[in-house]
Amino acid sequence: MSATLPAPPPRRSKPRPWLWRAQGLLSNYLPLVLMALLASGTWWLVKNTPLLDAPGELAPPRHVPDYRMNNFELQRIGADGRLNVQIAGAELRHYPDTDTIEIDAVRVRAIAPDGSLAIAEAKRAISNGDGSDMQLLGDVHLRRLAPGSGEGAAPQMEMRGEFLQALSNSEILRSHLPVTIRQGGSTLNAQNFEYRHLTGQVSFTGKAQGQIITKAPR
């Protein structure tokens, strides 16, 4: 005679630590921000801008701009004819001795294939010649807007800080200064962070705190 034993009660999964939830929040958001900041392909427009009255003989490079662009706007159009990336600023300067580009009052707009819009703004941007290292400095503000929404709509997520660096070759987005990230009613304050797009890994050091609000299950 055999008896059927009752099935053991299902185990309840333990809630993930708060930091794991914060990492999940970031990893869902940062890829589009990374796309906005890694718009390095647009820099070739600047690099190939013809110079007027160029000297016949090359002089030793000095740390003075060899060309400027005031109140400019650069656009990158996709193969389908749609706008992908737009970079604007009050002034752009190129320094031949270091082959760097500086932009005052920079504004970057990137549109994802699903129509999501990422907007990055800062007081200043610095990029090396090939755009593989781009830094935003001073009052950095990043916003992600839902597909089809206007720029005046409430962002799905936003990030604020004083510094942000994007490395295109290794696809890394990081800041060594404090940042504040908001999504809906959730807020994260971190002393620093690093996001590696190739692995999807988000890491923090130092103190991180905030409030993560998740939707209640139906």
Side-chain angles (χ1 to χ4, degrees), residues 37-38 43 100-103 106 122-128 131-138 140 162-167 173-174 176:
L37 296 181
L38 298 185
W43 296 117
T100 55
I101 296 171
E102 295 185 4
I103 301 176
V106 64
K123 292 182 178 179
R124 192 160 62 105
I126 300 176
S127 173
N128 59 352
S132 61
D133 183 352
M134 181 176 182
Q135 302 177 38
L136 299 181
L137 304 96
V140 180
E162 290 298 317
F163 177 83
L164 196 62
Q165 182 180 26
L167 303 173
L173 188 67
R174 65 190 180 190
H176 66 287

